[in-house]
Amino acid sequence: MRRKHEFFKSFSIRRFDFILVVLVIALNVIGIRAVGSAAPDLKMRQIYGSVIGMVLMLFVSSLDYTKLLKLYVGYYVLNIVLLLMVLLVGTSGGGAQRWIAVGPVTFQPSEAAKILLILFYAKFIMKYKNRAKSQLFYLICFLLVLPSLALILRQPDLSTTVMVFLIFTVMIFVAGLSYKFVLGVLVITIPTVLVFLNMVTQEGSTILQGYQRGRILAWFHPEDYQDTIAYQTMNSLMAIGSGQLTGKGYNTNEFSSLLNSGYISQSQTDFIFTVVGEELGFIGASTVVILLVLIAVKCLANARSAKDEAGAVIAAGVGAWIGFQGFMNIGVATGVVPNTGIPLPFVSYGLTSLVCLYVGIGLVLNVRMQSKQPGSNGK
C-alpha cells in the first residue's frame, strides 16, 4: 500500500493547471461540434473518445512521471513492435496501411508513437546525456529514432514521419543542443530542401511516389490541378472565405454551403478547419488558432519550470506536437503547405489521436504539479 501511495503522491489540486485543461476542453468542444456537422454519425463516437481521453488525462496527471519513466525501454520496444505489426497485419485504407484492428477496435500506432517516444527520450536524455560526449550522444539519439521514422514512412505516412522528427528535434534542442549546431543544420537543410523540391517537380522524377509528387506540384500550381489533386484545397479556401466574419452557422442549411453540397472531402479529419471556417467564420477560425497557440505555449511554459530535464523534455515534446501539428493541418486547409493528411489536435475526428493527445496533456499536468516553485531553490 505504501508503494501505491508513493506512486500517486505527485497529485496536488493547488498546483493543478486548470487553465491548460480549460483551453484543451474548449478546443475539444469546438471539435465535437465541427465533427457533428461534418459527419453526424461520428459525433457520439467523438464524444466517447473525449470522455475516455479526459479520464486518462486525469489518471495520468495523478501519477508520478519519474516512476512512469522507469519503463522507458519498454515504451521504445512497444513502439517498434506496434509499428512492425502495422506492416505485417495492419489494415489498409485510402492507399495506406496505417491501422491495427483488434476485434471491433481499430487504432493507429503512429499516433501512439509520438507519446511513446516522448516518454522514452525524456528518461534516456536525463540518464545518459552526461555519460557520453555531446556529439556522440546526439548521434545515438538520432540513430534510435530512425527505426520509427522508417517504419512510419513505409506505411506510407510522410506527414507523420515529418511530425515525429519535428517532435524529436524539439526534445533534443531542450536537452541542450547548441544554437550553433541548429544554425548549421538550417544553413544546410534549407538549400537542400529547395534543391529537393526542384528535383521532385522535374518531369519524370521518381524520387517520391506519384501521389506525393502530385501533392507538391498541386501546392506550387493549384490552378493547374483544381479539378484533380488541388480540388480539396481550392474548395477549402472557398469554404473558409465564404464564412466571412461570423460564419454561416452550425449545421447550416444554406444552399451555398460547400460542406453540405459535398464539395469538401475528409471534412471530419484532414479538413475539419474548413468546417470551422465556413460555419463559425473568421471569429471561430481565429479562436481555434488562438487556443492551439495558448495550449502549446502553456506546455512550453511548464517545460521551463519543470523540476528536472525529463519533465522539461515531456512538456516541450507535447507542446511541439500540438503546435506543429496544428500548424500543418491549418496550413493544408489554407493552402500554405502541401496536402499532408494530418489531424488537427483535439478538433479532427480520430479516437487514437484524441486519446493520445489527452494522455500527453495529462503528462504535462503531472510535470506542472511537480515543478519547481519560486524560492524553492529546486527543492
Side-chain angles (χ1 to χ4, degrees), residues 281-302:
F282 177 78
I283 293 176
S286 297
T287 299
V288 168
V289 173
I290 291 170
L291 286 171
L292 282 168
V293 171
L294 290 176
I295 291 169
V297 169
K298 256 292 191 180
C299 291
L300 295 176
N302 286 334

Side-chain angles (χ1 to χ4, degrees), residues 148-334:
S148 297
L149 297 177
L151 289 170
I152 296 172
L153 189 60
R154 280 284 305 276
Q155 294 179 4
D157 193 348
L158 179 60
S159 57
T160 302
T161 304
V162 172
M163 179 54 53
V164 170
F165 185 72
L166 288 173
I167 295 171
F168 164 78
T169 303
V170 170
M171 291 190 292
I172 294 300
F173 180 75
V174 170
L177 191 63
S178 70
Y179 288 95
K180 292 181 180 179
F181 183 83
V182 173
L183 290 174
V185 170
L186 289 176
V187 167
I188 297 172
T189 302
I190 293 175
T192 302
V193 170
L194 294 176
V195 171
F196 173 76
L197 290 175
N198 181 63
M199 293 173 63
V200 166
T201 55
Q202 297 300 315
E203 189 67 33
S205 172
T206 58
I207 297 175
L208 295 178
Q209 295 190 32
Y211 79 95
Q212 294 171 332
R213 179 175 178 271
R215 287 179 176 182
I216 293 175
L217 288 171
W219 177 47
F220 281 130
H221 308 287
E223 65 283 353
D224 297 335
Y225 297 86
Q226 59 183 347
D227 295 325
T228 54
I229 303 172
Y231 178 81
Q232 291 173 300
T233 302
M234 298 297 283
N235 286 339
S236 174
L237 290 170
M238 286 190 290
I240 292 172
S242 70
Q244 299 185 36
L245 181 63
T246 58
K248 298 175 181 177
Y250 173 64
N251 205 15
T252 178
N253 291 320
E254 281 193 27
F255 178 76
S256 61
S257 171
L258 272 74
L259 174 64
N260 291 340
S261 301
Y263 287 106
I264 305 172
S265 57
Q266 303 298 322
S267 56
Q268 75 277 17
T269 53
D270 302 346
F271 285 86
I272 195 72
F273 187 75
T274 305
V275 179
V276 174
E278 183 179 68
E279 297 192 344
L280 302 180
F282 177 78
I283 293 176
S286 297
T287 299
V288 168
V289 173
I290 291 170
L291 286 171
L292 282 168
V293 171
L294 290 176
I295 291 169
V297 169
K298 256 292 191 180
C299 291
L300 295 176
N302 286 334
R304 293 194 62 178
S305 63
K307 71 175 183 179
D308 55 25
E309 201 162 32
V313 169
I314 289 173
V318 174
W321 175 9
I322 294 169
F324 282 126
Q325 190 160 310
F327 168 78
M328 288 178 67
N329 178 278
I330 294 172
V332 168
T334 55

Side-chain angles (χ1 to χ4, degrees), residues 76 121 141-151:
Y76 184 85
Y121 276 107
C141 287
F142 177 70
L143 292 175
L144 285 170
V145 81
L146 278 182
S148 297
L149 297 177
L151 289 170

Side-chain angles (χ1 to χ4, degrees), residues 41-90:
D41 57 318
L42 298 177
K43 183 176 181 179
M44 285 309 300
R45 292 191 65 183
Q46 188 76 347
I47 292 174
Y48 294 147
S50 300
V51 172
I52 292 171
M54 290 177 196
V55 171
L56 286 174
M57 175 187 71
L58 293 174
F59 175 73
V60 171
S61 71
S62 67
L63 304 177
D64 185 345
Y65 74 84
T66 58
K67 290 181 171 55
L68 282 175
L69 295 182
K70 291 181 178 180
L71 302 174
Y72 74 107
V73 175
Y75 301 139
Y76 184 85
V77 173
L78 176 62
N79 172 52
I80 298 299
V81 169
L82 289 175
L83 292 176
L84 281 172
M85 287 179 64
V86 173
L87 299 181
L88 297 175
V89 297

